[in-house]
Amino acid sequence: MHITVMGTGYVGLVVGAGLADFGLMVTCVDINQEKIGLLKEGKVPIFEPGLEEIVRRNVERGRLCFSTDIKQAIRNCLVIFVAVGTDAGPDGIADLSQIWSAADQIAQSMEDYKIVVIKSSVPVGTTAGLEARMQQSLSGRNGHLDFDLISNPEFLREGSAIEDFFHPDRIIVGSRSERAAAIIKDIYRPLYLIETPFMFTTWESAELAKYAANAFLALKVSFVNELANLCDAVGANADVHVVARCLGLDRRIGGKFLHPGPGFGGYCFPKDTRALAQAARKVGEQFQTVEAAIEVNDRQFGRVVDKIEKGLGSLEDKAVAVLGLSFKPNTDDVRESRSLKICEALLAAKCKLRVFDPVAMAQARRVLNDAVTYCSDCYEAVTDCDAAVIATEWNEFRNLDLERVKQSMRGDLLVDAKNIFDPARAKCAGFRYYGTGRR
Ligand code: NAD
């Protein structure tokens, strides 16, 4: 079976390479010529552990190829997975322009029956809107052209996307056509064999399930962050990690997403929570819990900046090292990264910044430009700094030689936004240590 994946980003490339690994013939297309050019040269444009190997393997076996000829790729396949971006528009309403234009391209290019699978995260009602739009577009063309739409939201996490693709918690298939649902089931047959739960449902339930999952996880993050703020305020022996562990051991709650920090970032949580809240308001409902989670999150990175200011007395002309720039470890994605928000706030307060990230330096440079000094490792970054901030919990930071870090700095302030160090150990190395929600 021939498949086309429209959008070769964090989702499209993983899905395309994964489907090729299932033995299907996949063409990944993108409007970004530079991206496709790199992929054709055998270079993977994003950092995602394990992805390069799967891409290489499937290109070598002739099952995976890359193209900017979208029209041809649409004509050559039966199934089109749409994995284009759905950015946040004004007021947080999802900007669906990439989705509409992908649908237009499909309707204008197709010459026979197609199944269009929406992988992108979209607000409830979008798939129905796409059907109407494609029907209208096709009505202007000669002959009867048939298609089916499937809502098949993606749940992979950057940093563990390969594992998530091959071992997902569930596959959701929203469909109005039994024929199309059966073909999708067939595409995912390798996952059926490992007993992945499949949910066959309506377009609308599938669309909402995606936003609901992200919003619920965002609630957990904001909850634990407020808990950490409370622990900070009561001081003494309240430790957010102990409280979170006690919470997480309750099987009704679970221990995941109960790690305090500077707030959630990345491409998905910030925009999807906003889009869900706006979608609710559009139909006269207010999703208050989600709106509260967003509000808490918008303030949380400021707590880190406040701690640096408190520790240094004032921020003006102080030198601060920011370690970790990606929105989480194991990815080079800096979209909505809380670390960059911290950098921007420190720059606005006239700090001088020295920054380091194991893989996200090039991406961060596109945002921070020449406003900061880019360093080749943590030790270079902290040199002569008044304070150091851990903003992303890369594993390699956990084993830093704290004595060496301290000796390289001119100050003694360590703000550990992700609580990767043992406070006693940091104190032993000579630091004034500010964690998140623990002494
Ligand atoms: P991305 O920005 O990395 O990739 C989107 C790609 O689509 C870009 O390369 C862009 O050039 C391309 N594109 C846009 N219009 C196109 C068109 N008409 N034809 C072909 N290509 C086109 O985005 P992403 O992170 O891969 O996310 C894609 C979707 O998946 C979003 O809706 C997102 O919310 C959802 N999602 C993302 C993740 C994640 O972790 N990144 C996880 C689950 C779901």
Side-chain angles (χ1 to χ4, degrees), residues 9-11 30 35 86 98 105 121 154 158 268 271 335:
Y10 285 87
V11 168
D30 207 290
K35 224 177 239 189
T86 46
Q98 292 184 40
Q105 276 171 300
S121 310
E154 181 53 57
E158 287 173 27
C268 296
K271 77 175 174 64
R335 290 178 287 186

Side-chain angles (χ1 to χ4, degrees), residues 105-154:
Q105 276 171 300
I106 296 169
Q108 283 151 22
S109 308
M110 61 189 267
E111 289 178 327
D112 52 13
Y113 172 71
K114 302 290 172 205
I115 299 174
V116 181
V117 183
I118 307 302
K119 272 267 146 211
S120 303
S121 310
V122 293
V124 60
T126 303
T127 311
L130 283 169
E131 184 184 58
R133 187 172 174 123
M134 285 183 65
Q135 269 166 354
Q136 197 187 6
S137 176
L138 285 170
S139 67
R141 295 185 55 192
N142 288 336
H144 178 74
L145 288 166
D146 197 13
F147 68 95
D148 281 311
L149 276 158
I150 298 276
S151 172
N152 171 221
E154 181 53 57

Side-chain angles (χ1 to χ4, degrees), residues 170-183:
R170 73 298 211 189
I171 295 287
I172 299 181
V173 181
S175 176
R176 285 187 184 172
S177 151
E178 278 183 26
R179 168 174 67 163
I183 290 172

Side-chain angles (χ1 to χ4, degrees), residues 5-13 29-32 35 46 70 82-87 97-99 101-103 105 119-122 153-158 161 210-211 214 267-268 271-272 327-328 333 335:
V5 180
M6 288 181 83
T8 309
Y10 285 87
V11 168
L13 189 52
V29 296
D30 207 290
I31 47 172
N32 184 329
K35 224 177 239 189
I46 54 169
I70 298 176
V82 177
V84 300
T86 46
D87 298 344
S97 53
Q98 292 184 40
I99 287 276
S101 94
Q105 276 171 300
K119 272 267 146 211
S120 303
S121 310
V122 293
E154 181 53 57
F155 294 89
L156 63 76
R157 297 160 297 173
E158 287 173 27
K210 171 63 194 176
Y211 275 177
N214 277 1
Y267 184 44
C268 296
K271 77 175 174 64
D272 291 353
F327 85 93
K328 67 173 181 180
D333 196 345
R335 290 178 287 186

Side-chain angles (χ1 to χ4, degrees), residues 58-381:
N58 286 286
V59 168
E60 276 169 13
R61 301 208 176 140
R63 290 191 298 249
L64 179 62
C65 65
F66 303 98
S67 176
T68 48
D69 189 346
I70 298 176
K71 193 174 196 172
Q72 195 57 40
I74 289 168
R75 288 187 175 164
N76 285 350
C77 70
L78 169 64
V79 184
I80 302 154
F81 282 77
V82 177
V84 300
T86 46
D87 298 344
D91 302 326
I93 295 166
D95 170 1
L96 297 176
S97 53
Q98 292 184 40
I99 287 276
W100 301 135
S101 94
D104 291 346
Q105 276 171 300
I106 296 169
Q108 283 151 22
S109 308
M110 61 189 267
E111 289 178 327
D112 52 13
Y113 172 71
K114 302 290 172 205
I115 299 174
V116 181
V117 183
I118 307 302
K119 272 267 146 211
S120 303
S121 310
V122 293
V124 60
T126 303
T127 311
L130 283 169
E131 184 184 58
R133 187 172 174 123
M134 285 183 65
Q135 269 166 354
Q136 197 187 6
S137 176
L138 285 170
S139 67
R141 295 185 55 192
N142 288 336
H144 178 74
L145 288 166
D146 197 13
F147 68 95
D148 281 311
L149 276 158
I150 298 276
S151 172
N152 171 221
E154 181 53 57
F155 294 89
L156 63 76
R157 297 160 297 173
E158 287 173 27
S160 50
I162 300 299
E163 167 66 16
D164 291 346
F165 180 83
F166 288 106
H167 298 97
D169 289 340
R170 73 298 211 189
I171 295 287
I172 299 181
V173 181
S175 176
R176 285 187 184 172
S177 151
E178 278 183 26
R179 168 174 67 163
I183 290 172
I184 297 305
K185 193 172 162 185
D186 198 41
I187 287 175
Y188 283 122
R189 198 159 19 134
L191 301 181
Y192 239 89
L193 299 177
I194 57 166
E195 296 186 4
T196 304
F198 273 67
M199 286 288 295
F200 291 93
T201 182
T202 60
W203 289 339
E204 290 76 9
S205 293
E207 290 165 336
L208 266 175
K210 171 63 194 176
Y211 275 177
N214 277 1
F216 193 78
L217 293 172
L219 290 185
K220 279 185 100 173
V221 175
S222 278
F223 181 86
V224 80
N225 282 338
E226 287 209 288
L227 202 57
N229 299 343
L230 182 59
C231 288
D232 273 341
V234 298
N237 291 321
D239 183 329
V240 69
H241 286 284
V242 177
V243 183
R245 176 131 174 86
C246 296
L247 253 183
L249 285 171
D250 185 325
R251 276 173 292 178
R252 295 167 303 176
I253 298 171
K256 299 265 170 72
F257 280 78
L258 288 179
H259 301 281
F264 55 79
Y267 184 44
C268 296
F269 280 21
K271 77 175 174 64
D272 291 353
T273 46
R274 284 202 162 79
L276 180 60
Q278 288 300 342
R281 281 187 179 251
K282 200 173 148 195
V283 292
E285 289 295 328
Q286 195 184 351
F287 215 137
Q288 286 177 294
T289 47
V290 173
E291 289 191 5
I294 296 167
E295 213 177 294
V296 169
N297 197 59
D298 286 345
R299 286 197 303 261
Q300 189 65 16
F301 75 89
R303 299 258 174 177
V304 180
V305 179
D306 290 347
K307 280 176 187 164
I308 304 167
E309 185 164 22
K310 187 175 157 207
L312 295 178
S314 90
L315 291 173
E316 199 169 340
D317 290 331
K318 296 290 179 353
V320 179
V322 178
L323 306 181
L325 300 169
S326 56
F327 85 93
K328 67 173 181 180
N330 291 325
T331 180
D332 60 351
D333 196 345
V334 300
R335 290 178 287 186
E336 288 286 326
S337 163
R338 297 299 104 173
S339 175
L340 295 194
K341 296 234 177 258
I342 292 168
C343 288
E344 280 158 0
L346 291 173
L347 287 170
K350 298 199 170 63
C351 277
K352 294 184 171 50
L353 298 190
R354 297 171 63 80
V355 303
F356 172 70
D357 187 282
V359 303
M361 297 293 268
Q363 312 281 357
R365 200 183 280 268
R366 288 189 199 148
V367 182
L368 298 171
N369 301 310
D370 294 332
V372 305
T373 305
Y374 298 92
C375 300
S376 56
D377 64 24
C378 289
Y379 299 107
E380 190 191 327

